[in-house]
DNA sequence: TTTGTTGCAAAGGGTTTGCAGGAGA
DNA sequence: TCTCCTGCAAACCCTTTGCAACAAA
């Protein structure tokens, strides 16, 4: 999402176009892996928005489907920009931390089978996938 | 896991059999849904272990594969007893909160297909499934 | 001008730590 | 006896809140 596009998106949902929102979207955009609030804060040039502003806006972004958050293994919340507001998942490289957005959802079939097996009606699900990205696999193979 | 079995399990991994551990396992066992530390605390008869002891032991239980934790939508950590140390998932009822342990993993196929598509080598994954349990579906249908 | 946003400081609240006393093996 | 565990209190630290000043529309 370019700078211009971010303005349009903000307008489209009735959010005012502010400096804080533009730089926040840009920082999320520029990272290839999910960031903590501290990491976001450190990447913002001064004068930068305060932490409360960062939290408040990230929450808005998530509501709009522009970003997602999850809690990492150190119990810290991490935020990442989504390229689509459709339902999808991500895969995280455990070595270089890179995160790749996956097209669509690979679980549709498995879940409808599950419904028949356990009797529940599935309404939603969350999936975190971890692995090794192609580059890190190559790097390991060369050793 | 009966009281006796819990003693055996504790012994087997070199953990001392203490009152705190026995009652903690019993409380987790008795609940049909994941509990917060506060909920666990409230269910313990006095004299009860302090919160630090609860946290410390839950962590040990998770290390041993006897329990799992996840962060709920209010950002609070919840703990649940696992009936197996094998890889598996749970489904949570969004209405009555009941949690059911699922046998095995429904995603094996989907993940190996995913590997071919995105080039990552999948090493592990987490899956939270939410839905309506059979009873809650019936209750809703009657309205 | 009207409404939504930000900044600051402070509070909130779940979780962890340090250490001395106590219970298990 | 020796080691591990628990209790207590305090510290930690991420996150939220309140409110006045400010910027966008």
């Amino acid at each position: 999402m370019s700078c211009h596009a971010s303005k349009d998106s903000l307008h489209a949902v009735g959010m005012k176009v502010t400096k804080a929102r533009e730089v926040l979207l840009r920082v999320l955009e520029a990272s290839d892996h999910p960031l903590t609030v501290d990491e976001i804060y450190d990447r913002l040039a001064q004068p930068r928005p305060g932490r409360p502003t960062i939290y408040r806006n990230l929450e808005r972004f998530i509501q709009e489907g522009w970003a997602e958050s999850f809690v990492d293994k150190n119990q810290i919340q991490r935020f990442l920009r989504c390229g689509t507001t459709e339902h999808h998942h991500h895969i995280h490289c455990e070595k270089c931390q890179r995160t790749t957005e996956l097209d669509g959802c690979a679980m549709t079939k498995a879940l409808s089978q599950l419904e028949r097996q356990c009797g529940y009606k599935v309404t939603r699900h969350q999936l975190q996938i971890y692995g090794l990205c192609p580059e890190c696999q190559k790097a390991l193979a060369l050793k």
Side-chain angles (χ1 to χ4, degrees), chain A:
Chain A
M1 186 188 273
S2 72
C3 176
H4 183 63
S6 80
K7 277 185 187 165
D8 290 349
S9 304
L10 290 168
H11 276 137
V13 298
M15 289 169 72
K16 289 185 175 172
V17 176
T18 65
K19 190 85 189 175
R21 286 174 178 156
E22 294 190 318
V23 294
L24 271 174
L25 284 170
R26 212 173 302 146
V27 166
L28 285 180
E29 197 90 0
S31 174
D32 67 353
H33 68 276
L35 300 173
T36 65
V37 166
D38 271 7
E39 287 168 347
I40 293 171
Y41 189 77
D42 291 341
R43 289 171 188 218
L44 293 172
Q46 285 171 327
R48 58 191 165 194
R51 281 168 220 272
T53 298
I54 297 177
Y55 280 105
R56 285 185 280 229
N57 281 309
L58 288 174
E59 195 188 336
R60 300 287 304 266
F61 295 168
I62 290 172
Q63 283 172 4
E64 299 301 336
W66 300 344
E68 277 183 27
S69 78
F70 66 98
V71 176
D72 72 12
K73 47 187 153 190
N74 299 320
Q75 299 269 71
I76 302 179
Q77 211 175 356
R78 291 187 172 271
F79 299 84
L80 71 160
R81 187 83 173 76
C82 294
T84 173
T85 55
E86 305 288 307
H87 172 72
H88 65 279
H89 301 289
H90 298 91
I91 184 164
H92 307 275
C93 179
E94 300 208 271
K95 188 150 172 288
C96 72
Q97 312 310 319
R98 174 192 316 187
T99 297
T100 300
E101 188 167 293
L102 301 169
D103 288 335
C105 173
M107 302 197 50
T108 320
K109 262 190 196 166
L111 286 180
S112 57
Q113 196 180 337
L114 188 69
E115 285 185 330
R116 288 192 295 277
Q117 282 171 6
C118 70
Y120 275 66
K121 170 78 189 155
V122 173
T123 51
R124 64 192 178 86
H125 64 275
Q126 290 169 5
L127 174 63
Q128 292 84 41
I129 311 175
Y130 302 87
L132 284 172
C133 72
E135 283 70 20
C136 287
Q137 286 178 59
K138 275 182 212 154
L140 283 177
L142 290 179
K143 280 185 184 172

